[in-house]
Amino acid sequence: MVINSERKYSSIESQIEEEFMYISDFIWKSNYLILEEKKREKEIYNMYEEASIDMTTANLRWEYESFKINKIFPYLTNISNLFTLISILEHNLFKLSKELENRDSSLLISDIRGAGINKLFEYFKKKNINLEKVTLFKQIQASIKIRNCFFHASGVISWSKDDIELKNIVKNKLYFDQEFREKPNIKNNKEWIISIVKSDYGQQLQLTHNYTFILSSYIKDFLIGLCRVLSEKYEG
């Protein structure tokens, strides 16, 4: 989305609200593709049963299709949603930092070493913007580490430079805010929590669709919180 001519943080905030309304809706509904495919395959299996024919073909088909539906499709959907969300987060952080640079050119983004989101975080820090006080910053940091583990190490914890921290994040559910992770229906709900599973290469992170959905809300709230901090500092 394009910043309008008003060039106010409140305008950017409104755009973020609208943008994430669509993003969150997409993420929530992306799981329906898998559910509908599972329903379709079950109907096909039932057709074989009702026809009273040899079930060998039906069982082989279900074994093949159910593996994709239960393993491959959720993995690809959840990872894609996570990567997309972090990319959109970086895009909006860059947009906000460019707006800040236009208002105060005493320090440029190009003056900061590094790359990506961490470079933008460092830029805000150098501009005396305390990100620690922006709502959900810790959850945003956790999501970036989780994303990096999948992007650089296929989710294998021992391959990540953040292995110890990732184990702590997952163990204590630090990817959720405190109120949410303490809800009785969330604590051990496999549809929500990120887990660590065994793989051929060691312990591996396993995402859930519901986590990526709530992450979309976290990123939205964090960016809006940052907009308000910047507005208060530079627009009074």
Side-chain angles (χ1 to χ4, degrees), residues 128-138 141 221-222 224-226 228-229 232:
N128 295 316
I129 305 298
N130 189 353
L131 294 175
E132 294 285 347
K133 292 187 177 181
V134 180
T135 183
L136 296 167
F137 181 59
K138 291 186 183 301
Q141 288 181 304
D221 290 346
F222 168 74
I224 288 173
L226 181 56
R228 292 174 181 175
V229 168
E232 183 177 341

Side-chain angles (χ1 to χ4, degrees), residues 159-191:
W159 293 355
S160 169
K161 64 182 179 67
D162 299 315
D163 56 338
I164 295 174
E165 194 167 358
L166 282 165
K167 288 180 181 179
N168 182 55
I169 288 170
V170 173
K171 178 182 177 181
N172 295 295
K173 302 178 180 64
L174 301 180
Y175 47 86
F176 289 144
D177 67 88
Q178 185 173 352
E179 180 182 0
F180 193 80
R181 65 175 172 262
E182 291 180 353
K183 289 185 176 182
N185 62 324
I186 296 299
K187 280 186 177 181
N188 299 305
N189 191 329
K190 292 182 179 181
E191 292 187 0

Side-chain angles (χ1 to χ4, degrees), residues 3 21 42 63 75 88 123 145 150 173 184 187 192 208:
I3 301 173
M21 178 176 66
K42 283 186 175 180
E63 182 180 354
Y75 176 84
I88 292 169
Y123 176 73
K145 290 186 182 298
F150 278 103
K173 302 178 180 64
K187 280 186 177 181
W192 285 94
T208 62

Side-chain angles (χ1 to χ4, degrees), residues 48-146:
Y48 277 92
E49 285 188 318
E50 292 169 2
S52 299
I53 59 177
D54 182 11
M55 293 298 292
T56 302
T57 301
N59 289 331
L60 287 172
R61 178 190 174 93
W62 175 248
E63 182 180 354
Y64 175 70
E65 294 296 336
S66 63
F67 176 75
K68 293 189 296 180
I69 290 167
N70 294 323
K71 299 289 185 180
I72 305 301
F73 292 176
Y75 176 84
L76 291 176
T77 301
N78 295 336
I79 295 301
S80 297
N81 286 339
L82 176 65
F83 287 0
T84 299
L85 284 169
I86 300 303
S87 176
I88 292 169
L89 168 65
E90 183 173 351
H91 163 74
N92 279 285
L93 286 171
F94 188 70
K95 185 165 63 176
L96 289 169
S97 61
K98 288 300 291 183
E99 178 63 19
L100 177 52
E101 188 180 67
N102 290 334
R103 292 169 182 269
D104 180 3
S105 59
S106 60
L107 178 69
L108 304 178
I109 301 169
S110 58
D111 295 331
I112 306 297
R113 291 183 178 181
I117 290 179
N118 287 331
K119 177 175 181 173
L120 298 174
F121 282 164
E122 184 63 20
Y123 176 73
F124 285 118
K125 181 180 178 181
K126 294 288 186 182
K127 300 295 287 185
N128 295 316
I129 305 298
N130 189 353
L131 294 175
E132 294 285 347
K133 292 187 177 181
V134 180
T135 183
L136 296 167
F137 181 59
K138 291 186 183 301
Q139 284 66 48
I140 298 303
Q141 288 181 304
S143 72
I144 294 168
K145 290 186 182 298
I146 292 166

Side-chain angles (χ1 to χ4, degrees), residues 223-236:
L223 289 170
I224 288 173
L226 181 56
C227 280
R228 292 174 181 175
V229 168
L230 294 170
S231 178
E232 183 177 341
K233 184 177 177 69
Y234 290 97
E235 296 175 343

